[in-house]
Amino acid sequence: MNETCAIIVAAGRGTRLPGDLPKQYLRLDGQALLRHSLARLTKNPSIDKARAVIHPDDLELYGEAAEGLDLLPPVFGGATRQESVLRGLESLSDLSPSKVLIHDGARPFASEALIARVAGALDAHEGAIAALPVTDTLKREDNHRVAGTVDRQGLWRAQTPQGFRFASILEAHRAADGLNLTDDAAVAEAAGMEVALVEGDEDNFKVTTPQDVLRAQRLLSPNLETRVGTGFDVHRFEAGATLYLCGVRIPHDRGLSGHSDADVGLHALTDAILGALGAGDIGEHFPPSDPRWRGAESAIFMRHAAGLVAERRGRIVNLDLTLICERPKLSPHRLAMRQSIAEILALPLERVSVKATTTERLGFTGRNEGIAAQATATLALPEGG
Ligand code: MG
């Protein structure tokens, strides 16, 4: 069949990292390292079917790591990497795919493009491996002293995935049984197969040392940067209307007029959040001409803005709102207003501030014609987002 299968090799007992867990099951960003590798291959459009080769002791850990991913049932590996790959290949012989990509389970960052490059190169070559040229000068050591410099010209560091025509690599692996070679390209070479070099990726490193674990964690949690936005809004008083501020009903002889519930505090906060996102203003997201928003609770608007923050994998650091009016007196309602905002956005109370001031009877607020509100929102957003 003209299919491409993948084998993910995860049967090793890594001994270079502290702790009891085999390294492929260390948790990175809340998931087993191996899950990241499995997901990259199973979700790649170049791969039709994928199977992991695991250690018999890891069946339970594997079940958790592979949950929900589209994988063939795992097979058990052998005593060496080479033996494990051979078992994986033998297990695919009934499917007899045309191509196979073999990948280390401890390389969680093979990009979609990298996998596609290796798979694509197999149209023209019997084998193709991801690799990078050596850039450091190489020294030969003798008793912890430099015994010579090795010419690095033409030297490459082999990564995985390594791809091959399936029938050829299966035959090569059967013939190489017992040689204990450290990668599949070496097996292919031993069989005289032609193997092309495909551009690898520095991020496609093998997690081996504790430093590698830290590097992997850094790659998975992007740097956050701070964004600040401001919002300002005014609504005029209207006799007979109900006054809502920050989602709290405030007893007063007048309310505010507006298309929605006219909650001037939540409008200013919504604009501040949208401003920090560079995502326009409240009128753009909720046009006053749209009858859906007539009398609407303004919590909907603020929640929508907060949803955009979450979509960008960011979070609200804090919100600060100042309400400006002569009357009603707002200090008795400040705590309730803070609590209301914190509840609408599921934020801790200390991240929400509500203040109130007058304008010393000056201007439209001084003349009791309406209420003004100004807000700032501080967000933490992933860099480059
Ligand atoms: Mg408004």
Side-chain angles (χ1 to χ4, degrees):
M1 283 242 287
N2 189 24
E3 273 189 327
T4 302
C5 287
I7 292 175
I8 299 103
V9 194
R13 307 277 83 189
T15 50
R16 277 169 281 191
L17 292 173
D20 293 336
L21 275 183
K23 71 174 178 191
Q24 57 272 38
Y25 297 102
L26 281 180
R27 299 194 79 80
L28 282 183
D29 198 26
Q31 295 178 328
L33 190 164
L34 178 60
R35 183 177 179 87
H36 294 275
S37 313
L38 295 172
R40 297 267 177 158
L41 287 233
T42 53
K43 291 177 182 166
N44 192 286
S46 309
I47 308 286
D48 299 299
K49 291 194 172 77
R51 160 168 281 159
V53 184
I54 66 169
H55 193 281
D57 292 349
D58 298 342
L59 203 51
E60 202 172 312
L61 286 167
Y62 174 79
E64 201 183 309
E67 199 183 336
L69 295 176
D70 184 16
L71 283 150
L72 298 169
V75 292
F76 293 140
T80 63
R81 184 187 185 282
Q82 192 185 325
E83 213 179 308
S84 294
V85 174
L86 176 57
R87 292 194 188 179
L89 290 170
E90 294 284 7
S91 78
L92 293 176
S93 52
D94 285 349
L95 290 171
S96 77
S98 63
K99 304 171 186 173
V100 64
L101 263 56
I102 302 165
H103 187 59
D104 293 329
R107 290 185 195 267
F109 299 112
S111 70
E112 183 170 328
L114 172 70
I115 295 166
R117 278 201 292 279
V118 173
L122 295 177
D123 293 334
H125 303 278
E126 246 186 319
I129 67 168
L132 286 169
V134 172
T135 52
D136 291 331
T137 299
L138 297 176
K139 300 296 180 189
R140 194 185 310 284
E141 177 239 279
D142 182 22
N143 203 16
H144 298 294
R145 289 189 175 77
V146 173
T149 299
V150 179
D151 184 7
R152 70 174 178 223
Q153 184 69 35
L155 290 185
W156 291 66
R157 293 180 283 142
Q159 300 185 325
T160 72
Q162 302 192 341
F164 306 92
R165 307 265 172 88
F166 179 76
S168 312
I169 194 68
L170 176 57
E171 198 179 317
H173 256 282
R174 282 173 178 164
D177 201 9
L179 293 183
N180 200 15
L181 301 168
T182 53
D183 77 349
D184 304 291
V187 172
E189 292 155 40
M193 287 168 66
E194 175 235 21
V195 179
L197 292 168
V198 167
E199 190 193 348
D201 187 340
E202 286 295 349
D203 285 343
N204 180 34
F205 62 97
K206 188 170 179 178
V207 177
T208 308
T209 64
Q211 285 76 16
D212 295 334
V213 176
L214 289 176
R215 184 177 168 196
Q217 277 161 347
R218 275 199 301 272
L219 275 174
L220 286 168
S221 34
N223 287 336
L224 296 177
E225 63 183 13
T226 302
R227 305 275 186 97
V228 176
T230 69
F232 180 76
D233 197 23
V234 172
H235 282 254
R236 67 171 67 240
F237 279 126
E238 182 181 75
T242 308
L243 178 60
Y244 290 101
L245 288 175
C246 306
V248 177
R249 186 181 170 156
I250 311 274
H252 192 48
D253 57 357
R254 281 173 288 179
L256 294 173
S257 87
H259 189 69
S260 62
D261 66 5
D263 191 326
V264 68
L266 294 189
H267 293 184
L269 285 166
T270 303
D271 261 350
I273 297 168
L274 292 173
L277 287 170
D281 63 22
I282 190 170
E284 238 172 84
H285 291 262
F286 303 96
S289 54
D290 188 332
R292 270 184 301 169
W293 315 123
R294 178 166 301 150
E297 262 183 64
S298 297
I300 296 169
F301 310 150
M302 190 170 64
R303 232 183 255 120
H304 170 78
L308 296 178
V309 176
E311 260 174 39
R312 301 261 289 268
R313 296 188 70 198
R315 61 187 172 82
I316 296 171
V317 177
N318 76 297
L319 299 172
D320 187 15
L321 175 71
T322 302
L323 295 164
I324 307 160
C325 62
E326 214 65 40
R327 272 197 294 275
K329 207 170 160 38
L330 292 177
S331 49
H333 307 289
R334 274 178 47 197
L335 179 60
M337 291 191 285
R338 285 178 71 200
Q339 283 169 335
S340 166
I341 295 163
E343 192 174 312
I344 293 164
L345 298 178
L347 283 175
L349 189 63
E350 69 270 16
R351 292 181 184 268
V352 178
S353 155
V354 176
K355 309 193 295 298
T357 188
T358 71
T359 49
E360 298 281 331
R361 298 198 200 134
L362 296 170
F364 68 87
T365 53
R367 292 188 299 271
N368 270 314
E369 291 168 7
I371 301 182
Q374 63 182 34
T376 62
T378 307
L379 311 182
L381 286 188
E383 268 177 11

